[in-house]
Coordinates of all heavy atoms in Angstrom, one line a residue:
M1497 N -2.1 104.1 27.6 CA -1.3 104.1 28.7 C -2.0 103.3 29.9 O -3.2 103.6 30.1 CB -0.9 105.5 29.2 CG 0.1 106.2 28.3 SD 0.5 107.8 28.9 CE 1.3 107.5 30.4
S1498 N -1.2 102.5 30.6 CA -1.9 101.9 31.8 C -1.8 102.9 33.1 O -0.9 103.6 33.2 CB -1.2 100.6 32.1 OG 0.1 100.8 32.3
T1499 N -2.7 102.7 33.8 CA -2.7 103.5 35.1 C -2.1 102.7 36.3 O -2.7 101.8 36.6 CB -4.1 104.0 35.5 OG1 -4.7 104.7 34.4 CG2 -4.1 104.9 36.7
L1500 N -1.1 103.1 36.8 CA -0.5 102.4 37.9 C -1.1 102.9 39.2 O -1.3 104.1 39.4 CB 1.0 102.6 37.9 CG 1.8 102.1 36.6 CD1 3.2 102.4 36.7 CD2 1.5 100.7 36.4
P1501 N -1.2 102.1 40.2 CA -1.8 102.5 41.5 C -0.7 103.3 42.3 O 0.5 103.1 42.0 CB -2.1 101.2 42.1 CG -1.2 100.3 41.5 CD -0.9 100.6 40.1
N1502 N -1.1 104.1 43.1 CA -0.3 104.9 44.0 C 0.3 103.9 45.0 O -0.2 102.9 45.3 CB -1.0 106.0 44.8 CG -1.4 107.1 43.9 OD1 -1.3 107.0 42.7 ND2 -2.1 108.1 44.4
C1503 N 1.6 104.2 45.5 CA 2.1 103.4 46.5 C 1.2 103.4 47.7 O 0.9 104.5 48.2 CB 3.5 103.9 46.8 SG 4.3 103.1 48.2
P1504 N 0.8 102.2 48.2 CA -0.1 102.2 49.4 C 0.6 102.7 50.7 O 0.0 103.1 51.6 CB -0.5 100.8 49.5 CG 0.6 100.1 48.7 CD 1.1 100.9 47.7
K1505 N 2.0 102.7 50.5 CA 2.7 103.2 51.8 C 2.9 104.7 52.0 O 2.7 105.2 53.0 CB 4.0 102.4 51.8 CG 4.8 102.5 53.1 CD 6.0 101.6 53.0 CE 6.9 101.6 54.3 NZ 8.1 100.9 54.1
C1506 N 3.2 105.3 50.9 CA 3.6 106.8 50.9 C 2.7 107.5 50.0 O 2.8 108.7 49.8 CB 5.0 106.9 50.6 SG 5.6 106.4 49.0
Q1507 N 1.7 106.9 49.3 CA 0.9 107.6 48.3 C 1.4 108.2 47.1 O 0.9 109.0 46.4 CB 0.0 108.5 49.1 CG -0.7 108.0 50.3 CD -1.6 106.7 50.0 OE1 -2.3 106.7 49.0 NE2 -1.5 105.7 50.8
S1508 N 2.7 107.8 46.8 CA 3.3 108.4 45.6 C 2.6 107.8 44.4 O 2.5 106.6 44.3 CB 4.8 108.1 45.7 OG 5.4 108.6 44.3
Q1509 N 2.7 108.6 43.3 CA 2.0 108.1 42.1 C 3.1 107.7 41.1 O 2.8 107.1 40.0 CB 1.2 109.2 41.5 CG 2.1 110.4 41.0 CD 1.2 111.6 40.5 OE1 0.3 111.3 39.7 NE2 1.3 112.7 41.0
Y1510 N 4.4 107.8 41.5 CA 5.4 107.4 40.6 C 6.0 106.0 40.7 O 7.0 105.7 41.2 CB 6.6 108.4 40.7 CG 6.2 109.8 40.5 CD1 6.0 110.8 41.5 CD2 5.7 110.2 39.0 CE1 5.6 112.0 41.1 CE2 5.4 111.4 38.8 CZ 5.3 112.4 39.9 OH 4.9 113.7 39.6
T1511 N 5.0 105.1 40.7 CA 5.3 103.7 40.8 C 5.8 103.0 39.5 O 5.5 103.5 38.5 CB 4.1 102.9 41.3 OG1 2.9 103.2 40.5 CG2 3.8 103.3 42.7
Y1512 N 6.5 101.9 39.8 CA 7.0 101.1 38.5 C 6.2 99.8 38.5 O 5.7 99.3 39.5 CB 8.4 100.8 38.7 CG 9.3 102.0 38.5 CD1 9.7 102.8 39.4 CD2 9.8 102.2 37.2 CE1 10.4 103.9 39.3 CE2 10.8 103.3 37.0 CZ 11.1 104.2 38.1 OH 11.8 105.2 38.0
E1513 N 6.0 99.4 37.2 CA 5.4 98.0 37.1 C 6.5 97.0 36.8 O 7.2 97.1 35.8 CB 4.4 98.2 35.9 CG 3.5 97.0 35.8 CD 2.5 97.2 34.7 OE1 2.7 98.1 33.8 OE2 1.4 96.5 34.8
D1514 N 6.6 96.1 37.7 CA 7.5 94.9 37.5 C 6.8 93.8 36.9 O 5.6 93.8 36.6 CB 8.1 94.6 38.9 CG 9.5 93.9 38.7 OD1 9.9 93.6 37.7 OD2 10.2 93.8 39.8
A1515 N 7.5 92.7 36.7 CA 6.9 91.6 36.1 C 5.5 91.2 36.5 O 4.6 91.1 35.8 CB 7.9 90.4 36.1
S1516 N 5.4 91.0 37.8 CA 4.1 90.5 38.4 C 3.7 91.4 39.5 O 2.8 90.9 40.3 CB 4.1 89.1 38.8 OG 5.1 88.9 39.8
R1517 N 4.3 92.5 39.7 CA 4.1 93.3 41.0 C 4.3 94.8 40.7 O 4.9 95.2 39.6 CB 4.8 92.8 42.1 CG 6.3 92.7 41.8 CD 7.0 91.7 42.8 NE 6.9 92.2 44.1 CZ 6.4 91.6 45.1 NH1 5.9 90.4 44.9 NH2 6.2 92.0 46.4
Y1518 N 4.0 95.7 41.7 CA 4.3 97.0 41.5 C 5.4 97.4 42.6 O 5.5 96.8 43.6 CB 3.1 97.9 41.8 CG 2.0 97.7 40.9 CD1 0.7 97.1 41.2 CD2 2.0 98.1 39.5 CE1 -0.2 96.9 40.5 CE2 1.0 97.9 38.7 CZ -0.1 97.3 39.0 OH -1.2 97.2 38.2
V1519 N 6.3 98.4 42.1 CA 7.3 98.6 43.0 C 7.5 100.3 43.1 O 7.4 100.9 42.0 CB 8.7 98.1 42.4 CG1 9.9 98.5 43.3 CG2 8.6 96.6 42.2
Y1520 N 7.8 100.7 44.2 CA 8.1 102.1 44.5 C 9.4 102.2 45.0 O 9.6 102.1 46.3 CB 7.1 102.8 45.1 CG 7.3 104.3 45.1 CD1 7.4 105.0 44.0 CD2 7.7 105.0 46.3 CE1 7.8 106.4 43.9 CE2 7.9 106.3 46.3 CZ 8.1 107.0 45.1 OH 8.4 108.4 45.1
P1521 N 10.6 102.5 44.3 CA 11.9 102.4 44.9 C 12.3 103.4 45.8 O 13.2 103.3 46.6 CB 12.8 102.3 43.5 CG 11.9 103.0 42.5 CD 10.6 102.6 42.9
E1522 N 11.6 104.5 45.8 CA 11.8 105.7 46.8 C 11.7 105.1 48.2 O 12.6 105.6 49.0 CB 11.0 106.8 46.4 CG 11.3 107.6 45.1 CD 12.4 108.6 45.3 OE1 12.5 109.3 46.4 OE2 13.2 108.7 44.4
C1523 N 10.7 104.4 48.5 CA 10.5 104.0 49.8 C 10.7 102.4 49.9 O 10.7 101.8 51.0 CB 9.1 104.3 50.3 SG 7.8 103.3 49.6
G1524 N 11.1 101.9 48.8 CA 11.4 100.3 48.8 C 10.1 99.6 49.0 O 10.3 98.3 49.2
H1525 N 8.9 100.0 48.7 CA 7.8 99.2 49.0 C 7.3 98.5 47.6 O 7.5 99.0 46.5 CB 6.5 100.0 49.3 CG 5.4 99.4 49.9 ND1 5.4 98.5 50.9 CD2 4.1 99.3 49.3 CE1 4.1 97.9 51.0 NE2 3.4 98.4 50.1
E1526 N 7.0 97.2 47.8 CA 6.6 96.4 46.7 C 5.3 95.7 47.1 O 5.1 95.4 48.2 CB 7.6 95.3 46.4 CG 9.0 95.8 46.0 CD 9.9 94.7 45.7 OE1 9.5 93.5 45.5 OE2 11.2 94.9 45.8
W1527 N 4.4 95.5 46.1 CA 3.2 94.9 46.4 C 2.7 94.2 45.2 O 2.9 94.6 44.0 CB 2.1 95.8 47.0 CG 1.7 96.9 46.1 CD1 0.4 96.9 45.5 CD2 2.3 98.0 45.7 NE1 0.3 98.2 44.8 CE2 1.5 98.8 44.8 CE3 3.5 98.6 45.9 CZ2 1.9 100.0 44.3 CZ3 3.9 99.8 45.4 CH2 3.0 100.5 44.6
G1528 N 1.9 93.2 45.4 CA 1.3 92.3 44.3 C 0.3 93.0 43.5 O -0.3 93.9 44.0
R1529 N 0.2 92.8 42.2 CA -0.8 93.3 41.4 C -2.3 93.1 41.8 O -3.1 94.0 41.8 CB -0.8 92.8 39.9 CG 0.4 93.2 39.1 CD 0.4 92.4 37.8 NE 1.5 92.6 37.0 CZ 1.5 93.5 36.0 NH1 0.4 94.0 35.5 NH2 2.6 93.6 35.3
D1530 N -2.5 91.9 42.3 CA -3.9 91.6 42.7 C -4.1 91.8 44.2 O -5.1 91.3 44.8 CB -4.3 90.1 42.3 CG -3.1 89.1 42.7 OD1 -2.2 89.6 43.4 OD2 -3.3 88.0 42.4
E1531 N -3.1 92.5 44.8 CA -3.3 92.8 46.2 C -3.8 94.2 46.3 O -3.1 95.2 46.0 CB -1.9 92.7 46.9 CG -1.9 92.9 48.4 CD -0.5 92.7 48.9 OE1 0.4 92.1 48.3 OE2 -0.2 93.4 50.0
P1532 N -5.0 94.4 46.8 CA -5.6 95.7 46.9 C -4.7 96.6 47.9 O -4.4 96.2 48.9 CB -7.0 95.4 47.6 CG -7.2 93.9 47.4 CD -5.9 93.4 47.3
A1533 N -4.6 97.8 47.5 CA -3.8 98.8 48.2 C -4.4 99.0 49.6 O -3.6 99.2 50.5 CB -3.6 100.0 47.5
S1534 N -5.7 99.1 49.7 CA -6.4 99.4 50.9 C -6.2 98.3 51.9 O -6.0 98.5 53.1 CB -7.8 99.5 50.7 OG -8.4 98.5 50.1
E1535 N -6.0 97.1 51.4 CA -5.8 95.9 52.3 C -4.4 95.9 52.9 O -4.1 95.8 54.0 CB -6.0 94.6 51.5 CG -5.9 93.4 52.5 CD -6.2 92.1 51.7 OE1 -7.0 92.1 50.9 OE2 -5.5 91.2 52.0
T1536 N -3.4 96.3 52.0 CA -2.0 96.5 52.4 C -1.9 97.4 53.5 O -1.2 97.3 54.5 CB -1.1 96.8 51.2 OG1 -1.3 95.8 50.3 CG2 0.3 96.8 51.6
E1537 N -2.6 98.6 53.3 CA -2.5 99.7 54.2 C -3.2 99.2 55.5 O -2.6 99.6 56.6 CB -3.4 100.8 53.7 CG -3.4 102.1 54.5 CD -2.0 102.7 54.7 OE1 -1.1 102.5 53.7 OE2 -1.8 103.4 55.7
A1538 N -4.1 98.4 55.6 CA -4.9 98.0 56.7 C -4.1 97.1 57.7 O -4.3 97.0 58.8 CB -6.2 97.5 56.4
K1539 N -3.0 96.4 57.0 CA -2.3 95.4 57.7 C -1.2 96.0 58.7 O -0.7 95.2 59.4 CB -1.7 94.4 56.7 CG -2.6 93.3 56.1 CD -2.0 92.5 55.2 CE -2.9 91.5 54.6 NZ -2.4 90.7 53.5
K1540 N -0.9 97.1 58.5 CA 0.3 97.8 59.2 C 0.2 97.7 60.8 O -1.0 97.7 61.1 CB 0.8 99.1 58.6 CG -0.1 100.2 59.2 CD 0.4 101.5 58.6 CE -0.7 102.6 58.8 NZ -0.3 103.8 58.3
Ligands
ZN1806 ZN1 5.9 104.2 49.0

């Protein structure tokens, strides 16, 4: 099993893996695979 990262926006662990990115539909957040979650969080 692969380990998916938590949603950087709401910290949920129930993320989906899309073709080239991760998605968490509950909050609508999407982010790239090679985009560090911490960096995304810092940009807000
Ligand atoms: Zn989220």
Side-chain angles (χ1 to χ4, degrees):
M1497 287 180 71
S1498 61
T1499 304
L1500 300 178
N1502 292 2
C1503 175
K1505 192 173 179 181
C1506 64
Q1507 307 304 316
S1508 174
Q1509 63 185 312
Y1510 302 109
T1511 50
Y1512 288 83
E1513 189 175 26
D1514 204 348
S1516 61
R1517 54 200 295 121
Y1518 298 115
V1519 181
Y1520 185 63
E1522 287 275 321
C1523 74
H1525 191 62
E1526 301 181 15
W1527 67 105
R1529 285 175 187 258
D1530 49 3
E1531 182 179 337
S1534 56
E1535 184 179 321
T1536 304
E1537 179 68 20
K1539 281 180 184 173
K1540 74 180 171 183

